[in-house]
Amino acid sequence: MSSIIDTTAESIRSMEIRGAGRIARAGAEALRGFAETYAGNDLASFRADLKAAEQTLLASRPTAVSLWNGVQSSLKGAYKTESVDAARELILANSRQFCKRSLEAGDMIARIGAKRICDGDTVMTHCNSSMAVGIIEEAHRQGKEFKVYATESRPWRQGIITVTQLAEAGVDTTLIIDSAVRSVMKRTDKVFVGADTVTSHGALINKIGTSQLALAAHEARVQFYACAETYKFSPMTLYGDMVTIEERDISEVVRPGEIPASVKVFNPVFDSTPAAYIDAIITEMGMISPGSVYGIMVEQFGYKEE
Ligand code: RI2
């Protein structure tokens, strides 16, 4: 197997590379590296090696459909070319276009989402979403006066990354523990979270605990926004496929010997938030209702119910 494929897959699996957008671009860039360095000219062997590379990348983290969409976008048409060189050129072009569009989408989401932050607002965010952080930083750049509560997001504590990023940008930021969410929601005006996957019926699959923020926001009449590029929309869910909720090692939750050996540890790292608790999804195509996801999915991916 190609070293760049194995190295990238391991970096995604270990969360050295994390964040749904970043892992999608990493998958696309790994395939670009695979294509650039592939030495053989036998088409059948190339296709077999390419399939193995695809499967290795897709197996690295199962929940974020962004990785699947990044890989599929990079491979579009690559199994149908008449030569290895033609496939190589196609993968190089597809991969570059996906990564360019991914970054452009993030810039657009920051500009659109920043309009929803007003002077005097109190904003809450969860985990570490480059989309949510981008919106907050853009609003700050525009000179808006507001403050942010960021959750610690156990067990991986990605909230530490978020508060560091926001503090470095000069944003008034407070770290809270996850169990403080409902209490702090009372003094919150808007919630911005990222997305790993958005289903065809508008549900949000995101870091574990997101659904608790949404539930508390719904109770407190606080606006709840999911911030996601459309390549995080899952075409597989159109046909009823369930999104796999990744469970990670117990060592991320407890230290060795900390609990009796007979105690089990359940460590799901994503959860699902129903569309009813989402006020809007902020995408590069604009602010949409969860109910609009199907139409955009068909438009973007050309999927039509058979
Ligand atoms: P961006 C992250 O998962 C969080 O769930 C975050 O909300 C989501 O990916 C989207 O991140 P993890 O990789 O694409 O930390 O908005 O498990 O950066």
Side-chain angles (χ1 to χ4, degrees):
M1 174 51 60
S2 156
S3 60
I4 189 167
I5 295 295
D6 284 338
T7 305
T8 301
E10 181 48 37
S11 296
I12 293 172
R13 188 181 298 112
S14 67
M15 293 178 65
E16 180 188 342
I17 300 175
R18 51 149 300 280
R22 291 185 198 90
I23 68 175
R25 293 189 292 274
E29 285 160 1
L31 288 168
R32 180 161 71 213
F34 171 90
E36 281 171 341
T37 58
Y38 193 81
N41 268 314
D42 177 74
L43 194 54
S45 302
F46 173 79
R47 286 176 177 170
D49 292 342
L50 185 61
K51 180 54 72 177
E54 175 188 352
Q55 290 168 340
T56 298
L57 289 170
L58 293 179
S60 59
R61 288 198 80 190
T63 302
V65 75
S66 54
L67 176 59
W68 188 89
N69 277 322
V71 166
Q72 300 312 322
S73 295
S74 300
L75 296 179
K76 193 168 185 179
Y79 290 109
K80 295 175 182 167
T81 64
E82 295 302 314
S83 71
V84 172
D85 283 343
R88 189 197 323 273
E89 290 314 309
L90 194 55
I91 293 169
L92 294 179
N94 288 346
S95 168
R96 284 196 184 95
Q97 183 182 58
F98 175 82
C99 292
K100 177 172 180 291
R101 285 182 174 173
S102 167
L103 294 171
E104 289 169 350
D107 293 341
M108 180 60 77
I109 286 169
R111 286 197 295 274
I112 293 171
K115 294 179 184 175
R116 306 306 292 191
I117 296 179
C118 306
D119 283 321
D121 272 349
T122 297
V123 167
M124 186 182 295
T125 191
H126 185 55
C127 195
N128 177 242
S129 158
S130 59
M131 294 301 103
V133 169
I135 285 171
I136 293 166
E137 289 180 339
E138 175 60 25
H140 179 71
R141 269 195 293 273
Q142 293 173 7
K144 294 180 179 177
E145 295 286 331
F146 60 95
K147 61 184 177 185
V148 176
Y149 285 101
T151 63
E152 177 188 18
S153 308
R154 285 216 13 98
W156 238 80
R157 309 185 74 216
Q158 291 94 326
I160 302 299
I161 304 170
T162 297
V163 297
T164 303
Q165 290 172 337
L166 293 181
E168 286 171 353
V171 177
D172 178 341
T173 304
T174 303
L175 178 71
I176 59 172
I177 61 172
D178 300 329
S179 38
V181 159
R182 186 167 178 234
S183 299
V184 174
M185 195 61 77
K186 297 184 179 73
R187 65 183 83 163
T188 299
D189 298 296
K190 292 146 189 171
V191 177
F192 295 86
V193 297
D196 289 88
T197 291
V198 176
T199 71
S200 59
H201 54 290
L204 167 66
I205 312 298
N206 196 51
K207 186 51 53 192
I208 190 80
T210 300
S211 59
Q212 283 169 177
L213 270 80
L215 188 58
H218 189 74
E219 175 193 45
R221 302 290 185 273
V222 169
Q223 295 163 45
F224 183 90
Y225 297 108
C227 315
E229 310 92 309
T230 54
Y231 62 80
K232 291 170 183 172
F233 290 7
S234 166
M236 292 79 91
T237 57
L238 203 53
Y239 299 110
D241 286 352
M242 300 290 285
V243 177
T244 301
I245 300 294
E246 179 186 6
E247 293 179 37
R248 292 183 66 91
D249 193 83
I250 69 167
S251 61
E252 295 185 357
V253 180
V254 290
R255 294 185 299 277
E258 188 176 8
I259 55 174
S262 62
V263 176
K264 295 177 282 296
V265 176
F266 177 44
N267 181 25
V269 293
F270 297 105
D271 66 15
S272 177
T273 299
Y277 291 125
I278 301 169
D279 288 285
I281 303 174
I282 301 172
T283 78
E284 72 277 19
M285 298 179 72
M287 281 190 56
I288 66 171
S289 71
S292 309
V293 170
Y294 168 78
I296 289 176
M297 196 178 278
V298 168
E299 184 186 311
Q300 290 275 332
F301 300 108
Y303 285 81
K304 292 193 184 308
E305 286 198 284
E306 287 149 358

